[in-house]
Amino acid sequence: KFIQYGGPNGGDGGDGGSIYLRADADLNTLIDFRFKHQFRAKHGEHGKGSECTGKKGQNLYIKVPAGTLVFDEDTEECLGDLVKPGETLLIAKGGEHGLGNVHFKSSTNRAPRRITKGTPGEERKLRLELQILADVGLLGLPNAGKSSFIRAVSAARPKVADYPFTTLRPHLGVVSIEVDRSFVIADIPGLIEGAAEGVGLGIQFLKHLSRTRLLLHIVDVAPLDSEPVKDVLSIIQEVEKYSAELATRERWLVLNKVDLLPPDEQAQHCQAIIEELDW
């Protein structure tokens, strides 16, 4: 009103929202991404009259477990490694706003029809890999007793039963030693022969051991006709195939289910296994 030709008074648009990944201590798997694959931040609003600037698009924060590696699927570039809970990583920047016609008025062009369009936001195809952060990782064949072990020493409650089956996803448990002293232990799903080549999703499971400081190799020594030495060597072979560095990490041998052996044969049976492995 009272301005020649009624303007110009077109305001700027709003910036588009950006997308961030945020490490969350309450998550320990990437299973949610199996059901939702696409994420979009909000668009910025258009500029309005009376030199009103459009509202900025709201940023989108996507929760991932601590220990998530982020790769660009097209370039294979590692964009970041979210290790500590609360860490954020910008993965797609929102577009910048366009300019309204109020910027282009002059003494000779009192009512410009010129504007600039905003830039498009970034679009990326990502690959997420989870390497669980734990002090101790449990290693062994299916049904060796890893889940029973972590239930006994921590508050973690993976499924256990009196019939053969294997854990399907990793479980984390906190082992309290005394006040202000504790450590994290990871129950990794059982490995089978060929795991290093991906048999039984073995590579995904082996990745979770990459950031553990100590490996507990749990071996089922019962019944007497089992072959625990062969079982140990098969697992060691798979670890060596996957990573030479992981194979040299400190590893403790835990002989499990000894109580199922006759009492007078327990010590002799365990000692024979240790000597045969030259542990």
Side-chain angles (χ1 to χ4, degrees):
K1 192 179 180 182
F2 307 122
I3 299 176
Q4 189 176 8
Y5 303 115
N9 65 3
D12 299 342
D15 291 333
S18 298
I19 302 180
Y20 294 83
L21 294 182
R22 175 181 285 161
D24 191 310
D26 295 329
L27 296 178
N28 57 15
T29 74
L30 294 168
I31 194 169
D32 291 341
F33 295 97
R34 178 180 297 178
F35 309 107
K36 185 174 181 180
H37 305 282
Q38 292 188 342
F39 297 85
R40 296 177 184 270
K42 295 290 186 182
H43 292 290
E45 291 185 354
H46 298 298
K48 300 174 183 177
S50 302
E51 300 184 21
C52 291
T53 300
K55 185 179 179 181
K56 291 183 177 180
Q58 190 173 1
N59 292 334
L60 176 63
Y61 290 87
I62 304 170
K63 294 179 180 180
V64 295
T68 299
L69 285 164
V70 186
F71 295 90
D72 188 301
E73 184 73 6
D74 297 321
T75 65
E76 289 297 323
E77 175 191 5
C78 181
L79 302 178
D81 185 4
L82 298 168
V83 178
K84 298 179 181 177
E87 278 187 336
T88 58
L89 174 67
L90 174 64
I91 56 172
K93 184 170 173 44
E96 294 186 358
H97 63 271
L99 301 177
N101 67 348
V102 70
H103 290 276
F104 302 100
K105 66 181 179 180
S106 67
S107 59
T108 58
N109 188 1
R110 307 297 296 276
R113 294 182 177 275
R114 182 184 170 192
I115 62 169
T116 62
K117 292 186 176 181
T119 59
E122 287 184 319
E123 186 174 335
R124 270 205 172 107
K125 187 176 182 181
L126 301 180
R127 184 177 81 252
L128 304 181
E129 294 184 3
L130 177 60
Q131 294 184 352
I132 281 177
L133 303 172
D135 300 293
V136 178
L138 301 183
L139 181 66
L141 292 171
N143 302 302
K146 301 184 297 299
S147 295
S148 297
F149 180 85
I150 197 172
R151 285 174 67 100
V153 299
S154 75
R157 288 295 176 263
K159 179 182 175 182
V160 297
D162 56 356
Y163 54 86
F165 75 98
T166 186
T167 302
L168 295 178
R169 62 184 182 89
H171 292 271
L172 294 178
V174 177
V175 181
S176 297
I177 305 170
E178 55 189 44
V179 178
D180 297 330
R181 284 193 69 201
S182 63
F183 63 88
V184 178
I185 189 168
D187 175 20
I188 306 300
L191 302 177
I192 60 177
E193 190 171 346
E197 283 82 33
V199 176
L201 299 178
I203 289 179
Q204 286 89 325
F205 298 157
L206 281 163
K207 283 178 181 176
H208 293 309
L209 297 174
S210 300
R211 289 181 175 170
T212 55
R213 295 194 291 179
L214 171 71
L215 300 177
L216 286 188
H217 191 157
I218 297 184
V219 186
D220 182 358
V221 298
L224 285 171
D225 59 354
S226 63
E227 298 182 90
V229 173
K230 183 180 177 181
D231 294 344
V232 172
L233 295 177
S234 68
I235 292 295
I236 292 175
Q237 186 178 17
E238 294 305 321
V239 173
E240 288 174 344
K241 285 181 185 177
Y242 173 72
S243 168
E245 188 276 331
L246 184 61
T248 59
R249 194 162 304 168
E250 185 173 0
R251 187 170 69 252
W252 294 7
L253 189 65
V254 180
L255 303 182
N256 195 28
K257 304 185 184 179
V258 178
D259 54 309
L260 298 180
L261 300 174
D264 56 335
E265 298 181 16
Q266 290 176 1
Q268 181 182 355
H269 189 59
C270 292
Q271 188 60 36
I273 294 170
I274 294 169
E275 289 177 359
E276 192 171 348
L277 287 170
D278 193 22
W279 195 269

